[in-house]
Amino acid sequence: MKNTVRQLLKTEFKPESEQKPQLPAQAYKLYDKYAHGMLSRRDFFSAMAGLAVNAALAATFINSMLPNYALAQQVSFNDDDITASYQKFTSPQGYGEGRGYLVKPKHLTAATSTVLVIHENRGLNPYIEDVARRLAKAGFIAFAPDALWPLGGYPGNDDEGRTMQSSLQPEKIVADLKAAATWLKQLDGGNGKLGVVGFCFGGSMTGRLAAELPEAVNAAVPFYGAPPAADSIVDIKAPMLIQLAELDERVNQQWPAAEALFKQHSLNYKIEIYPASHHGFHNDSTARYNKAMADLAWQRTLAFFKQHLS
């Protein structure tokens, strides 16, 4: 009896922040569509009702998926080993001017590699800034541009950021990211080698920059992003480490055809698929975070950049 009571205490009275609604796997697919602008909030709730999930539980679920950026800070902005600042760059083919978050190791004794960090489809949020700090802590110069800078920058919440980003011209966003890559590769203190890492939208952009800036990009690590356009894959020169989540059907189904072209053109690439992981598993501010797989993916990312950017 004592064991039964103890088990109930452990399972029935968890803090609200630790509770995770028990939902069908399809619910995560619906949220993925909502998060990427494929479903309105109204349509998301209608689809959840179709799964026999009541409105209260659907609301609890969608709220649990919203980011808690206090959880995402692994490296403090005032860490003694780094220096961080916001820097602007020119982008004649894009929106004219861009801005991003630049983080450097504080005690550099020699030129080091640079890494461009490309955010998701909602602007330069605190999670992406922390990723830049993690890279600097590991010895790289990291720069994370904010695609929303033409509209004033990341607004402070992801839903509004997603709406803002969808209002911008895609080709101008790409031009701004290319300008940021060129600016970073030439930055004082850099060794002339440029890596690119990105997540979701940023993962797609990572592959695109590798294809469209083959002379600039020296290594690329896309996390759960769509592959580059088929006719551009032949132009890729950089080695690529492609990080995918096992349960991310929407993105994963796009990769077999792309991989066939990677093989056809003898590209230097590796695809890693992380078990029991959803799209966004590296983002430690959301309920989709898978710590074990995120840590493994990050270790591989750092090792990959150190191998190819030295």
Side-chain angles (χ1 to χ4, degrees):
M1 178 65 71
K2 289 183 179 179
N3 287 338
T4 301
V5 172
R6 188 176 294 114
Q7 290 170 358
L8 284 172
L9 287 172
K10 288 182 178 179
T11 57
E12 296 293 333
F13 299 102
K14 288 183 179 181
E16 183 176 353
S17 61
E18 296 179 12
Q19 294 175 5
K20 291 186 179 179
Q22 296 300 310
L23 295 166
Q26 186 66 21
Y28 287 89
K29 298 178 183 178
L30 292 174
Y31 179 80
D32 184 66
K33 290 184 176 180
Y34 167 73
H36 292 88
M38 302 173 192
L39 282 179
S40 68
R41 191 177 179 89
R42 179 191 296 271
D43 289 341
F44 170 80
F45 278 95
S46 296
M48 290 290 278
L51 297 178
V53 176
N54 64 47
L57 184 54
T60 299
F61 172 65
I62 200 170
N63 289 335
S64 77
M65 301 297 278
L66 295 175
N68 179 350
Y69 287 123
L71 301 176
Q73 188 177 94
Q74 294 188 20
V75 180
S76 172
F77 67 91
N78 60 3
D79 187 285
D80 288 340
D81 293 331
I82 64 171
T83 59
S85 63
Y86 292 95
Q87 299 293 329
K88 295 179 180 179
F89 58 92
T90 59
S91 179
Q93 304 304 315
Y95 280 100
E97 179 186 78
R99 192 182 84 146
Y101 187 59
L102 179 68
V103 195
K104 299 180 178 182
K106 184 175 290 186
H107 306 295
L108 280 178
T109 57
T112 191
S113 312
T114 59
V115 179
L116 188 75
V117 184
I118 307 180
H119 58 65
E120 304 141 311
N121 64 334
R122 60 210 67 179
L124 180 57
N125 60 36
Y127 155 64
I128 295 296
E129 291 190 341
D130 196 70
V131 169
R133 292 195 294 270
R134 296 173 206 175
L135 284 162
K137 187 81 170 177
F140 301 96
I141 296 174
F143 184 62
D146 187 355
L148 302 186
W149 179 242
L151 300 177
Y154 176 70
N157 72 83
D158 281 19
D159 278 347
E160 186 178 347
R162 183 165 51 245
T163 299
M164 290 170 64
Q165 187 159 323
S166 68
S167 74
L168 293 169
Q169 297 177 44
E171 292 306 313
K172 286 198 172 186
I173 292 178
V174 174
D176 283 350
L177 294 175
K178 289 180 176 178
T182 300
W183 176 86
L184 179 59
K185 190 177 178 74
Q186 300 170 350
L187 192 71
D188 288 344
N191 66 0
K193 295 291 186 69
L194 174 70
V196 184
V197 62
F199 306 86
C200 184
F201 161 81
S204 300
M205 291 298 101
T206 296
R208 182 164 178 176
L209 263 59
E212 297 184 13
L213 294 177
E215 302 303 327
V217 178
N218 301 107
V221 184
F223 276 74
Y224 31 82
D231 61 358
S232 72
I233 287 175
V234 65
D235 296 320
I236 296 174
K237 295 182 179 180
M240 293 185 66
L241 174 61
I242 298 147
Q243 315 264 41
L244 301 177
E246 181 185 32
L247 304 178
D248 189 5
E249 294 180 9
R250 178 182 60 84
V251 169
N252 294 353
Q253 67 184 0
Q254 303 175 55
W255 273 98
E259 185 177 13
L261 291 174
F262 277 40
K263 291 178 178 177
Q264 177 183 328
H265 299 303
S266 301
L267 299 191
N268 181 355
Y269 79 98
K270 186 174 185 181
I271 295 178
E272 297 283 5
I273 299 178
Y274 294 87
S277 296
H278 291 281
H279 184 96
F281 73 90
H282 184 267
N283 188 336
D284 47 357
S285 70
T286 76
R288 292 183 288 181
Y289 176 52
N290 182 327
K291 185 180 188 309
M293 295 299 100
D295 288 349
L296 177 58
W298 192 243
Q299 291 166 10
R300 287 171 171 168
T301 298
L302 294 179
F304 186 79
F305 282 148
K306 288 175 182 177
Q307 176 185 356
H308 294 289
L309 300 179
S310 296

